[in-house]
Amino acid sequence: MPQTQIKLHKGDLPSGLDFGGAVAVDTETLGLKPHRDRLCLVQLSAGDGTAHLVQLDGRDYRAPNLKALLTDPAVLKIFHYARFDVAVLSRYLGVAVAPLYCTKIASKLVRTYTDRHGLKDLVSEILGIELSKQQQSSDWAATSLSDQQKAYAASDVLHLHKLRERLDEMLDRDGRRALAEAAFGFLPTRAALDLAGFEETDIFSH
Ligand code: MN
């Protein structure tokens, strides 16, 4: 991994940034309930060691450059637990994020020997890197984020490209690539069900 760089932007991405064919994305919110807990930060990386953090103030969600990237059909959006982020981005930015890849779903389809599918577990086992989760629950609505918060937020997107690469190899090995892609395709519906109040209901169960 090259030297980590963190760039903070207020309200939107600057224009003219190129993330290539795949961008790693994560969000930080005030909590786990999308209707109650607002979107505060969107983190993005091209997988090159640089993380762009877009800080949102809770009033102005226009962010045209960010929205264009999140909905660009030529750019794959890589998340860890996309289900939550896709719901939050839909609720606050009004965008249908696509196309999607979720490292947590991929992990569940291939790492059937464990029930540990957290980002910290994946990055540790697959990449041999230890992530700190210390700032996970902190005040993401703060006007001025601490260096620790910025480093934590960045670390959530810096490793997703490498994880995807390894997980794709495992999906191919196990013949589950098509299953994964179909599951990624269902994510917008899963997020919509969550926002519609069906988060605890498995509509497929008997
Ligand atoms: Mn995060």
Side-chain angles (χ1 to χ4, degrees):
M1 168 84 39
Q3 185 70 41
T4 298
Q5 274 199 55
I6 301 175
K7 300 194 172 164
L8 187 69
H9 311 289
K10 301 262 185 192
D12 195 8
L13 281 171
S15 44
L17 281 182
D18 185 1
F19 288 88
V23 62
V25 189
D26 186 36
T27 66
E28 302 302 335
T29 62
L30 277 178
L32 297 176
K33 297 182 178 176
H35 286 298
R36 183 190 66 181
D37 304 321
R38 79 166 176 89
L39 173 65
C40 299
L41 194 69
V42 182
Q43 308 101 279
L44 308 111
S45 178
D48 57 358
T50 296
H52 293 270
L53 314 184
V54 179
Q55 213 179 357
L56 298 162
D57 64 8
R59 293 179 295 274
D60 180 2
Y61 289 111
R62 282 171 295 171
N65 295 328
L66 176 61
K67 288 178 184 172
L69 176 66
L70 292 175
T71 56
D72 186 338
V75 183
L76 182 69
K77 269 62 73 172
I78 311 169
F79 292 88
H80 184 78
Y81 197 49
R83 176 177 170 179
F84 177 76
D85 302 294
V86 167
V88 166
L89 291 165
S90 161
R91 164 80 172 80
Y92 290 93
L93 299 186
V95 289
V97 184
L100 296 165
Y101 188 103
C102 177
T103 52
K104 188 164 205 159
I105 289 174
S107 175
K108 285 186 177 180
L109 285 171
V110 290
R111 294 173 65 254
T112 46
Y113 49 83
T114 178
D115 58 1
R116 299 176 69 90
H117 300 285
L119 181 63
K120 189 175 162 54
D121 301 309
L122 277 185
V123 169
S124 170
E125 182 190 300
I126 297 182
L127 305 179
I129 296 168
E130 299 307 320
L131 290 184
S132 161
K133 280 275 158 193
Q134 238 173 31
Q135 296 294 320
Q136 189 162 31
S137 39
S138 61
D139 182 11
W140 292 106
T143 311
S144 172
L145 297 175
S146 70
D147 286 345
Q148 288 89 338
Q149 282 181 306
K150 286 186 244 177
Y152 165 76
S155 73
D156 276 352
V157 290
L158 289 172
H159 307 290
L160 297 184
H161 286 75
K162 272 268 172 287
L163 281 182
R164 175 195 167 211
E165 221 172 272
R166 297 294 308 280
L167 288 164
D168 273 350
E169 289 167 13
M170 295 168 89
L171 285 166
D172 286 338
R173 181 193 69 191
D174 298 346
R176 294 186 184 141
R177 177 80 85 112
L179 212 46
E181 273 162 19
F184 302 154
F186 183 70
L187 274 163
T189 307
R190 182 61 265 188
L193 284 163
D194 289 343
L195 291 173
F198 290 91
E199 63 269 55
E200 300 297 334
T201 308
D202 175 2
I203 57 166
F204 296 106
S205 71
H206 191 283

